[in-house]
Amino acid sequence: MLSTNLKQLYFSQSALAIYEKCPLKFRRRYRDGLFWPQDWGGDLEQREVIETGKLFHRLAQRYYARGEELTAELLTVDLKDWFKRLRGFRPYNQRDDFYPEQELRINRDGIKLVAKFDLLYLDKTANRFIIYDWKTNKRPFSEEDKFNNNLQSIVYLYVLTKAGNQYFPGSNLQPANISLLYWNPRFPKNIKTVDYNRRKFAEDEEFLTKKITQIKNLNYADFKAINDEKICKHCEYRPICFGKKPELIVLEEDDLDLELDWEIIEEIQF
């Protein structure tokens, strides 16, 4: 459900990333309510990557919900391999707590944030929460990939820290006991881990509060186009901005916010 009133909008990492990329694109999507289906501008290969990724996420969700495994005959060769690697990488057990496809949102002094986690895992022995995020794109993580300060890491770690003790009573959640782990079944040994601490939590709170306040205080005409051809030529709003058909639109694996049903997500207020 789209919100044309920014006071009602729960900001996700994807919404913030769109604003950083182009304020006008953010306005068209989140204020004007203009949204095209995610795959309308992608080619067949991109669509297959996205669809396979969605299937993998569903497999992981069913596995961690009850330890359930699908019959191998129902899976493609890729999914069979990926699922086998997943079970070896983060085995399900009945001792610890697994929360697949967990959605949390917070509302604090008008600052609204939402995060949807592929998997929240509570290691009861170590009293640690690990956020697992599944990536299924064809490119492995590189040394240039900066995960510590990207918007996904900032939003995910902050939201869990801020809301975790309310959603998971008795967990005594502290920033130092939380980490975020990115993993791709195509490249199972190519792992990126982001740890957290109180200093980073305070920095992230200040950053998110300032950024969301800034966006909400903008007048309608203040959402300016980026006017960067490298970005604009792949944007779905290019016909509106420039009267030109976009070139191949790069599908964003993580841009699934608009598919969430906000009415069923429990809200934590502070």
Side-chain angles (χ1 to χ4, degrees):
M1 178 178 65
L2 287 171
S3 173
T4 56
N5 183 349
L6 293 188
K7 291 183 179 179
Q8 303 303 319
L9 177 66
Y10 278 80
F11 286 80
S12 65
Q13 60 90 11
S14 184
L16 291 169
I18 288 174
Y19 177 80
E20 294 286 274
K21 182 178 290 186
C22 177
L24 182 57
K25 180 173 181 175
F26 175 93
R27 192 194 80 187
R28 295 204 189 284
R29 179 172 290 195
Y30 294 100
R31 287 201 64 174
D32 299 339
L34 300 176
F35 178 67
W36 281 263
Q38 190 181 22
D39 65 350
W40 79 271
D43 64 8
L44 180 59
E45 182 180 2
Q46 286 193 83
R47 294 177 190 179
E48 289 178 348
V49 169
I50 292 293
E51 288 305 314
T52 303
K54 288 180 178 178
L55 287 173
F56 175 76
H57 279 71
R58 292 187 193 124
L59 280 174
Q61 179 181 12
R62 293 182 65 169
Y63 177 57
Y64 291 116
R66 298 181 296 274
E68 178 182 354
E69 300 183 22
L70 289 182
T71 304
E73 287 74 16
L74 300 177
L75 306 179
T76 64
V77 174
D78 281 345
L79 284 173
K80 287 179 185 177
D81 290 341
W82 294 4
F83 192 43
K84 181 179 179 181
R85 293 168 187 167
L86 178 71
R87 296 198 311 269
F89 172 66
R90 173 63 275 162
Y92 174 83
N93 67 72
Q94 295 184 344
R95 178 188 67 252
D96 298 320
D97 290 337
F98 295 81
Y99 305 96
E101 298 300 321
Q102 182 73 46
E103 298 167 359
L104 309 183
R105 64 175 176 173
I106 58 176
N107 179 359
R108 180 186 58 81
D109 299 328
I111 301 300
K112 298 181 177 182
L113 282 162
V114 62
K116 180 176 180 179
F117 306 96
D118 291 342
L119 175 66
L120 292 180
Y121 164 65
L122 174 58
D123 182 339
K124 290 186 174 180
T125 302
N127 191 32
R128 288 190 59 83
F129 255 107
I130 301 177
I131 304 168
Y132 286 96
D133 191 76
W134 318 128
K135 302 296 185 188
T136 56
N137 47 294
K138 290 187 172 182
R139 184 178 66 87
F141 306 137
S142 68
E143 292 300 321
E144 289 71 36
D145 289 329
K146 305 299 182 184
F147 287 92
N148 282 38
N149 290 304
N150 70 12
L151 282 168
Q152 183 173 8
S153 297
I154 290 172
V155 171
Y156 279 22
L157 289 164
Y158 176 77
V159 168
L160 180 58
T161 302
K162 192 71 175 178
N165 286 317
Q166 283 72 33
Y167 278 97
F168 310 106
S171 60
N172 192 28
L173 201 58
Q174 301 295 327
N177 295 333
I178 300 175
S179 58
L180 169 58
L181 195 150
Y182 294 95
W183 184 77
N184 190 329
R186 296 179 188 269
F187 314 99
K189 295 182 179 180
N190 188 209
I191 304 167
K192 292 290 184 178
T193 302
V194 181
D195 294 319
Y196 212 41
N197 55 51
R198 287 188 177 277
R199 177 189 59 79
K200 188 65 168 64
F201 171 76
E203 291 176 356
D204 290 346
E205 184 165 68
E206 181 180 9
F207 166 78
L208 290 168
T209 299
K210 287 183 177 179
K211 181 63 66 176
I212 292 174
T213 300
Q214 173 194 17
I215 295 172
K216 290 171 66 176
N217 287 337
L218 288 177
N219 294 318
Y220 187 82
D222 292 334
F223 291 87
K224 304 295 185 181
I226 190 67
N227 286 328
D228 182 339
E229 180 61 14
K230 292 180 180 178
I231 295 175
C232 295
K233 69 180 180 180
H234 298 299
C235 179
E236 63 265 40
Y237 301 110
R238 196 183 191 206
I240 302 175
C241 295
F242 301 103
K244 297 180 180 179
K245 184 179 179 180
E247 296 183 20
L248 178 66
I249 296 175
V250 179
L251 301 180
E252 299 293 340
E253 180 183 358
D254 298 318
D255 187 16
L256 303 176
D257 305 341
L258 300 174
E259 298 179 9
L260 298 180
D261 183 355
W262 303 120
E263 303 304 321
I264 65 172
I265 307 175
E266 182 183 1
E267 175 181 331
I268 294 293
Q269 297 197 30
F270 301 90

